[in-house]
Amino acid sequence: MSNLKSLAKDTAIYGMPSIVGRFLNYLLTPLYTIKALSAASGEYGIMTNMYAMTALILVILTFGLETTFFRFANKAGENPNKVYSTAVIAVGSGSLVFVLLVFAFLTPIASFMGYSEHPSYIWTMAVTVAIDSFLCIPFDYLRYKNRPIKFAGLKMVVIVLNIIFNLIFYLLLPELYKIYPDTIGHIYNPTVGVGYAFYINLACSALTIPFLFKEILGIRFGFDKALMKRMLSYSWPILILGIAGILNLNADFILFPHVYKGSNGMTQLGIYSAGSKIAMIMAMITQAFRFAYEPFVFSKSKDKDNRETYAKVMKYYIIFTLLAFLFVIAYLDILRYIIGKDYWEGLKVVPIVMAGQIMMGVYFNLSFWYKLIDKTIWGAIFSIIGCTIMIAGIIFFVPKYSYMACAWAGFAGYAASMVLSYVVGQKLYPINYPIKNIMSYVVLAGVIFFAMTFANNYLSNYLSLFINTILIVLFMARIVKYDFPLKNMPIIGKYFKK
């Protein structure tokens, strides 16, 4: 139990920037969708498309070396400092080459991607993603050294700066420009629009570098070619897994404008993206969990009770993500005000996207069996299958069903990867997961979901909110009674012990 409490604590600290950042981004969503970027303009769709592509590039540039760093730094016979410096130099060199290639072929790249009129979008995001990929390993080093406060602090600094700059360029300066166009026009141009979001990202990423200067100096341990070769043999399946994983997350945002039959592809993409934004609370939870769980798993790999611990973590992860799912469904009539009313039609994707995110988190939990036995090729296979299912669903069904096909394609892809990883994992690295207990929560959450959906559709807002709240309390009571008694909770637990 002490291990699980430690994991919960680290999850909270590591996840704070992600959770707070995404929450604050929710506050930016009204700014974009109500104030600055209308659905008809398609600019929110452009933002979604660009961020999806940069997420894919980030995975490619880090080459799976984040997980590889943790594995080799904790591996007997390896020098952690040498592992770190080798990883930093490798990622940094690759990022530099990427930026040089983008500038050398900027015009054809911008034309190919459909941004020939805005090449600045391309080079700005290219430099940003190169910086972010380079800094991934220093941030991982903070996690390895168990320094969650500095990790979370730096992430929070970037988030706060991003929020401030967005408020300045999308709220303050536009109003001042109406009054003092000649003066404000020197620092603000209303025609730039969505471009300011990209420039702000670049500035915030660049400002992070000085704060990690001490960690960056770790490159003094040099680059070990033999070590790099061993690390690459471990990481390339993880790279494939990562590419497939990020495509599972973003293939819809990348492919939609190209397969949608209509002239308003970016508009429809923006509507879908805005609806999915509300569902991303599940991604916040999963990301927070991932930051703490990855180093935790490798450090626990030698313990005798490690498999029992992994099983318990799986159960608690599913329980609390189901609770989060029900919270969003229960109060969707309130949460919808996060986005502009002309984006509300996209809210129908929320439960589908959230369910897919839960399965992605379960798949992440399951993924450690092949990492612990150094058989990462299995992860690549599972992810490729899931990604193929998703992409096929998008290509074949988006022309007829628009963005709803994207939501269901993602659901199907995650489900396939999750099931395959569980079935094969139980043969090669069996873990006694409490399936019966877990499924009881899944079934209960499903029943409550349909009850909430009925209430939201056919009852008044106040009555549906009241009923949904009662259902949430019942679900939480089930958790407390059978799996998470109050006496075991931190801080308040001491008041419930006999």
Side-chain angles (χ1 to χ4, degrees):
M1 183 60 70
S2 61
N3 286 323
L4 294 180
K5 288 182 178 180
S6 176
L7 175 61
K9 175 185 174 182
D10 286 350
T11 298
I13 297 175
Y14 285 121
M16 181 179 65
S18 176
I19 294 173
V20 174
R22 287 182 182 265
F23 174 74
L24 292 176
N25 279 331
Y26 281 155
L27 301 184
L28 286 180
T29 302
L31 182 66
Y32 293 142
T33 61
I34 299 175
K35 182 71 176 176
L37 311 174
S38 67
S41 71
E43 286 192 299
Y44 194 65
I46 292 173
M47 180 185 293
T48 300
N49 182 247
M50 286 295 297
Y51 285 160
M53 287 188 288
T54 54
L56 175 60
I57 295 170
L58 180 64
V59 170
I60 296 173
L61 291 180
T62 54
F63 207 85
L65 288 175
E66 289 188 87
T67 299
T68 303
F69 164 69
F70 286 115
R71 176 56 175 161
F72 277 74
N74 288 282
K75 203 169 187 179
E78 300 290 357
N79 183 336
N81 291 325
K82 184 69 72 173
V83 171
Y84 170 67
S85 61
T86 299
V88 171
I89 293 172
V91 174
S93 300
S95 299
L96 178 60
V97 171
F98 167 73
V99 169
L100 294 176
L101 288 173
V102 168
F103 276 102
F105 301 99
L106 181 60
T107 300
I109 291 174
S111 178
F112 174 77
M113 294 177 64
Y115 295 105
S116 56
E117 296 182 2
H118 301 284
S120 62
Y121 295 174
I122 305 300
W123 71 256
T124 302
M125 295 307 290
V127 176
T128 302
V129 75
I131 294 174
D132 288 345
S133 63
F134 171 66
L135 295 180
C136 276
I137 306 300
F139 271 115
D140 287 338
Y141 187 72
L142 293 178
R143 293 161 61 197
Y144 169 72
K145 286 294 187 180
N146 196 26
R147 300 182 63 188
I149 301 300
K150 182 173 182 178
F151 178 95
L154 288 180
K155 293 287 187 179
M156 287 301 301
V157 167
V158 174
I159 291 167
V160 171
L161 287 175
N162 190 285
I163 299 297
I164 292 174
F165 287 146
N166 270 279
L167 291 175
I168 291 173
F169 280 92
Y170 285 114
L171 187 62
L172 178 61
L173 292 181
E175 295 301 320
L176 291 176
Y177 183 82
K178 296 176 183 178
I179 305 173
Y180 311 105
D182 293 335
T183 302
I184 302 300
H186 292 294
I187 58 174
Y188 173 77
N189 183 349
T191 63
V192 173
V194 70
Y196 280 121
F198 305 142
Y199 302 144
I200 289 169
N201 278 331
L202 174 58
C204 291
S205 293
L207 289 172
T208 310
I209 296 175
F211 294 99
L212 287 169
F213 189 68
K214 181 179 179 180
E215 285 69 29
I216 294 172
L217 286 179
I219 63 174
R220 67 182 181 275
F221 293 102
F223 182 84
D224 189 322
K225 291 183 180 180
L227 173 60
M228 188 74 249
K229 185 176 180 180
R230 295 195 302 274
M231 292 172 68
L232 289 177
S233 67
Y234 181 88
S235 70
W236 74 262
I238 297 178
L239 171 62
I240 297 175
L241 187 156
I243 291 174
I246 208 67
L247 285 175
N248 278 329
L249 284 171
N250 294 292
D252 44 0
F253 299 140
I254 295 173
L255 296 175
F256 186 88
H258 302 286
V259 298
Y260 177 74
K261 302 297 183 182
S263 58
N264 62 338
M266 285 299 182
T267 297
Q268 291 297 303
L269 177 59
I271 292 172
Y272 170 55
S273 175
S276 299
K277 182 74 72 175
I278 294 177
M280 284 299 105
I281 186 172
M282 205 58 66
M284 287 190 283
I285 295 172
T286 300
Q287 185 176 2
F289 179 81
R290 175 180 177 272
F291 280 140
Y293 195 47
E294 195 164 48
F296 172 83
V297 166
F298 288 120
S299 65
K300 280 281 294 177
S301 60
K302 297 178 183 179
D303 293 355
K304 292 181 179 180
D305 65 341
N306 62 338
R307 300 193 193 200
E308 181 183 349
T309 301
Y310 301 156
K312 289 181 179 178
V313 170
M314 172 70 84
K315 182 181 73 172
Y316 289 128
Y317 172 81
I318 292 176
I319 288 174
F320 287 107
T321 51
L322 288 173
L323 179 61
F325 173 86
L326 294 176
F327 259 106
V328 172
I329 301 302
Y331 304 111
L332 190 57
D333 284 343
I334 297 174
L335 293 172
R336 64 182 178 175
Y337 288 99
I338 292 172
I339 61 178
K341 290 186 177 180
D342 50 346
Y343 292 88
W344 280 8
E345 67 176 88
L347 292 175
K348 54 192 175 184
V349 306
V350 171
I352 306 168
V353 174
M354 289 190 74
Q357 288 291 322
I358 291 176
M359 288 189 291
M360 185 192 73
V362 173
Y363 173 54
F364 174 78
N365 275 270
L366 294 169
S367 70
F368 281 97
W369 70 259
Y370 55 75
K371 294 177 182 177
L372 289 170
I373 63 175
D374 293 346
K375 297 292 184 181
T376 50
I377 186 64
W378 282 109
I381 293 172
F382 302 147
S383 292
I384 287 174
I385 292 174
C387 184
T388 301
I389 291 173
M390 179 183 184
I391 291 176
I394 293 171
I395 293 175
F396 287 110
F397 295 109
V398 161
K400 184 175 182 179
Y401 299 104
S402 188
Y403 53 77
M404 288 302 295
C406 293
W408 282 112
F411 180 96
Y414 293 136
S417 297
M418 176 186 70
V419 172
L420 286 171
S421 185
Y422 174 77
V423 172
V424 178
Q426 289 303 93
K427 295 181 181 297
L428 301 181
Y429 193 86
I431 296 176
N432 187 25
Y433 294 110
I435 299 298
K436 185 177 179 180
N437 192 5
I438 290 173
M439 289 308 300
S440 69
Y441 280 103
V442 173
V443 171
L444 177 60
V447 172
I448 292 176
F449 164 72
F450 284 111
M452 287 179 174
T453 301
F454 177 85
N456 291 340
N457 291 336
Y458 298 103
L459 302 179
S460 67
N461 287 344
Y462 291 111
L463 182 57
S464 65
L465 287 174
F466 174 76
I467 292 175
N468 291 347
T469 301
I470 296 298
L471 292 172
I472 288 286
V473 171
L474 291 175
F475 190 81
M476 294 176 66
R478 168 68 161 79
I479 297 173
V480 171
K481 181 175 177 60
Y482 293 104
D483 289 287
F484 206 79
L486 294 175
K487 65 181 181 180
N488 290 336
M489 296 184 68
I491 301 176
I492 67 171
K494 60 184 178 181
Y495 298 108
F496 294 92
K497 292 181 179 179
K498 295 181 180 180

